[in-house]
Amino acid sequence: MKFFVDTAEIDEIKDMADSGLLDGVTTNPSLIAKSGRNFKDVILEICDIVDGPVSAEVASTDYETMRKEGLEIAKWAENIAVKVPLTEAGLKVCKELSDQGTMVNVTLCFSASQAILAAKAGATFISPFVGRLDDISQDGLGLISDICRIYDNYPDFHTEVLVASIRNPLHIVEAAKMGAHVMTAPPKVIKQLYKHPLTESGLAAFVDDWAKTGQSIL
Ligand code: G3P
């Protein structure tokens, strides 16, 4: 499973990159607004830090403007994945950008039918939002399972399932069991993956016992 981090904060991205776990970055207009920085500046900085795909989202909803924005963003760096919404206009832009060799991440996916359309439009990634479905009492992980099963039926679908809107480590583990290709999560959730109370108590006991030996390795 590839690990992407869902943030526009440069320090967080550098920290994750240093861990050696980072395969890519996703951003969205809300994360850019939260950063308080210029969109292009942030994206170019991220693309310098990370070799893998960096998702940068269009801002318009009408086809003509979205197309122009997508073509513009695609020029910014080799590892850009243009992010478009799952709308008719978005999928039209997706098809065009994919055909010219640009990576496209289709976002705001909430149903299997939408995911089928994205694959047919040649999307590099489909981003189903697990947490936002759970938030309205629908089964976010059930959607991931459905999409993985459907895509597996069609070898000519090359779209990767990018699990988004992740709220907790269980979302990641369950999606990995289903064979989802990629997950994107906020740094806080990725850090939670390391944690286990038995690791912490076990380590504390080892440190105490080692001190009793009076030895030093270095
Ligand atoms: O970037 C898309 C997605 O990961 C958003 O997550 O937490 O705003 O639902 P969230």
Side-chain angles (χ1 to χ4, degrees), residues 1-6 23-27 53-56 81-83 103-110 115 118 123-131 140 143-144 147-148 151 158-166 171-172 175-176 179-185:
M1 178 183 246
K2 283 178 255 185
F3 273 31
F4 290 2
V5 67
D6 198 29
D23 300 304
V25 176
T26 51
T27 65
V54 173
S55 291
V82 175
K83 210 171 176 187
M103 289 187 285
V104 181
N105 178 357
V106 177
T107 190
L108 291 166
C109 170
F110 294 96
T124 315
F125 305 106
I126 180 69
S127 290
F129 279 28
V130 171
L143 174 60
I144 302 303
I147 298 173
C148 288
Y151 281 10
H158 300 296
T159 304
E160 297 194 6
V161 180
L162 194 170
V163 185
S165 185
I166 283 176
H171 278 155
I172 299 170
H181 308 86
V182 193
M183 73 86 198
T184 189

Side-chain angles (χ1 to χ4, degrees), residues 178-196:
M178 293 163 190
H181 308 86
V182 193
M183 73 86 198
T184 189
K188 191 180 140 220
V189 177
I190 297 177
K191 298 265 183 202
Q192 285 173 345
L193 293 172
Y194 290 97
K195 303 276 182 204
H196 196 285

Side-chain angles (χ1 to χ4, degrees), residues 27-112:
T27 65
N28 63 38
S30 306
L31 294 171
I32 296 295
K34 198 171 147 207
S35 78
R37 297 191 53 205
N38 174 271
F39 179 36
K40 186 173 178 181
D41 290 350
V42 179
I43 296 298
L44 290 183
E45 236 178 286
I46 299 173
C47 288
D48 263 355
I49 300 167
V50 183
D51 291 335
V54 173
S55 291
E57 190 161 340
V58 296
S60 299
T61 54
D62 68 284
Y63 168 69
E64 285 302 339
T65 324
M66 197 192 295
R67 178 179 174 274
K68 283 184 199 146
E69 289 177 350
L71 290 168
E72 169 60 26
I73 293 171
K75 288 190 279 186
W76 290 353
E78 288 280 313
N79 54 334
I80 284 280
V82 175
K83 210 171 176 187
V84 299
L86 208 152
T87 59
E88 269 192 67
L91 291 189
K92 223 169 135 185
V93 174
C94 171
K95 175 81 180 123
E96 191 173 336
L97 291 176
S98 300
D99 283 352
Q100 70 162 39
T102 296
M103 289 187 285
V104 181
N105 178 357
V106 177
T107 190
L108 291 166
C109 170
F110 294 96
S111 75

